[in-house]
Amino acid sequence: MKVIRSIRSMADFSRNAHIKGKTIGFVPTMGALHEGHLSLIRQARKENDVVVVSVFVNPVQFGPKEDYKHYPRNLKRDTELSRKSGADIVFYPDAGDMYFFNHKTYIEVCGLSGYLCGKFRPGHFKGVATVVAKLFNIINPDTSYFGQKDAQQAIVIKKMVEDLNIPVRIKVMPTVREKDGLAMSSRNKYLDKKERADAAVLYQALRMARDLISHGVTDSLSIIRKMRQLISSKKSARIQYISIVNPVDLSGVNTIKERVLIALSVYIGKTRLIDNIVVSP
Ligand code: AMP
C-alpha cells in the first residue's frame, strides 16, 4: 500500500489504472478511522480493482468556532487500518495544495444544504460538496462510498453528482454502531466516561421513534416530543434539532405515510453528535 501526497501523482496513478482497464473504488474520509470507515473500505475492496482512501481534514467545511484545529489526526494509524481493510492507496493531500491561496470556486447544492445540520452549520455542505468534487476530479473513481451516518451529506453528494453529470456511482452503506447503539464517530473520542454512557440515548430515542411508527403513530410532532423527553432525561444532553423529513428532498413531514428520515443533532457536553434512521410506516 502506498501513501500519495501530491495531487499530480494521485491523478497520474488513477489515469494509469484506468488505462489498464481497472476500476477504482474511492472512500473519502477525514481520518481518525474507525469501524464505520473501515466498513466502507471493505465494501470498496469487494467491488473494485483498486481502492483509494483519502484522509483530508477539509478546512472549508468547518465553521470558525468548530473543531478544525483539534480534530483527531493520526496518519500512521489510519494508514495501517486502511491497509488492513484492503486499501491500495491512501491519498493524503496538503490543505495548501488543495486550496491554493487564490481558490475562488465553491459548489453549493441549493436547498438541500439549508435543512437539518445545514441550518446550524452555515457553509458546511458547501465545503463538503466542494472538496468531494475536487477529490472526484483528481481520483476519477468509478464508485465512491459514503456512510448513512451522515445522511444529509450522502443526499447532497448524490444530488451534486446528478446535477453536474459527474461520472461516478455513489453507494451509501449502513451506519456502524457500538454495542450500545451509539453510531461510531471520530468525535466520540471527545466524550468522557459519563458522557459516553449518556450518548447511547440518541439511538434509544431513534429506536423509540421506530417503535412508535410501527405501532401506527403517524404524527411527527408527538414522536419528536417523546424523543425530546427521553434525550432530555440525560443531564449532559442539549438537543440542537430532531427532525422527521422526506429522505430524498429533506422536506418536513407532519403526517407519516411513507418512508421518512428521522435525524437528530445533540450536544453531549461540548461534543456535537448526529445520528439518524430511515423508517417505513
Ligand atoms: P468522516 O471521516 O467523518 O468525514 O467520514 C467519512 C465517511 O465515513 C463518510 O461517508 C461517513 O458517512 C462515513 N462514516 C462515518 N461514521 C460512520 C459510521 N458509524 N458508519 C458508517 N459510515 C460512517
Side-chain angles (χ1 to χ4, degrees):
M1 205 206 59
K2 237 166 65 172
V3 176
I4 296 182
R5 291 180 180 228
S6 125
I7 291 174
R8 167 77 66 83
S9 306
M10 185 68 243
D12 287 347
F13 175 91
S14 289
R15 199 172 314 110
N16 284 331
H18 280 312
I19 288 169
K20 288 181 192 147
K22 296 191 169 173
T23 57
I24 300 178
F26 171 47
V27 181
T29 82
M30 296 204 301
L33 301 186
H34 51 66
E35 272 302 314
H37 300 112
L38 304 186
S39 71
L40 305 182
I41 301 174
R42 290 190 198 108
Q43 189 66 25
R45 177 73 285 162
K46 278 191 209 153
E47 300 178 353
N48 299 275
D49 300 320
V50 175
V51 175
V52 178
V53 176
S54 65
V55 173
F56 181 62
V57 185
N58 175 33
V60 177
Q61 72 187 64
F62 286 80
K65 289 189 183 147
E66 293 183 353
D67 55 344
Y68 174 67
K69 278 208 176 118
H70 300 110
Y71 199 84
R73 292 164 168 89
N74 189 339
L75 180 66
K76 203 167 161 224
R77 180 176 171 277
D78 289 344
T79 308
E80 190 50 24
L81 288 173
S82 298
R83 187 186 63 74
K84 281 190 183 149
S85 308
D88 300 298
I89 301 291
V90 168
F91 179 46
Y92 182 66
D94 183 75
D97 292 342
M98 286 291 277
Y99 298 103
F100 230 56
F101 68 96
N102 60 348
H103 185 101
K104 291 199 194 307
T105 308
Y106 296 90
I107 292 180
E108 190 142 22
V109 181
C110 304
L112 288 181
S113 304
Y115 294 109
L116 308 179
C117 292
K119 263 195 201 157
F120 301 93
R121 302 186 75 188
H124 170 69
F125 288 108
K126 184 169 142 187
V128 169
T130 302
V131 80
V132 171
K134 283 168 72 70
L135 291 166
F136 284 173
N137 282 334
I138 296 164
I139 296 161
N140 196 7
D142 296 274
T143 309
S144 186
Y145 299 81
F146 292 83
Q148 175 63 25
K149 156 83 181 0
D150 298 276
Q152 188 174 10
Q153 169 171 286
I155 291 167
V156 164
I157 296 301
K158 274 190 191 166
K159 192 74 187 108
M160 173 185 81
V161 161
E162 182 187 321
D163 288 354
L164 298 183
N165 310 95
I166 302 179
V168 58
R169 198 158 57 113
I170 303 299
K171 272 214 163 175
V172 183
M173 304 301 297
T175 302
V176 178
R177 300 180 178 281
E178 303 283 359
K179 276 208 183 95
D180 64 357
L182 176 65
M184 291 197 180
S185 162
S186 308
R187 290 190 168 100
N188 292 349
K189 285 193 174 75
Y190 300 151
L191 302 169
D192 68 24
K193 212 170 158 200
K194 172 75 173 54
E195 290 169 345
R196 171 63 192 80
D198 286 355
V201 78
L202 272 63
Y203 188 54
Q204 285 163 15
L206 289 168
R207 276 206 331 240
M208 182 183 71
R210 182 162 57 202
D211 288 348
L212 288 167
I213 293 170
S214 74
H215 284 95
V217 180
T218 56
D219 175 32
S220 295
L221 269 184
S222 75
I223 294 170
I224 291 172
R225 206 174 303 126
K226 290 203 169 75
M227 292 174 75
R228 281 187 169 274
Q229 272 170 8
L230 178 61
I231 293 173
S232 303
S233 69
K234 303 291 175 191
K235 271 209 175 117
S236 65
R238 183 165 58 82
I239 298 165
Q240 188 173 57
Y241 71 79
I242 301 176
S243 299
I244 300 185
V245 299
N246 177 301
V248 178
D249 63 14
L250 300 181
S251 60
V253 171
N254 294 326
T255 308
I256 300 166
K257 294 182 198 136
E258 289 171 333
R259 233 160 54 97
V260 287
L261 172 69
I262 310 179
L264 50 76
S265 159
V266 175
Y267 277 93
I268 299 288
K270 288 189 171 149
T271 306
R272 181 179 180 277
L273 300 177
I274 58 169
D275 201 352
N276 70 84
I277 52 171
V278 174
V279 184
S280 298

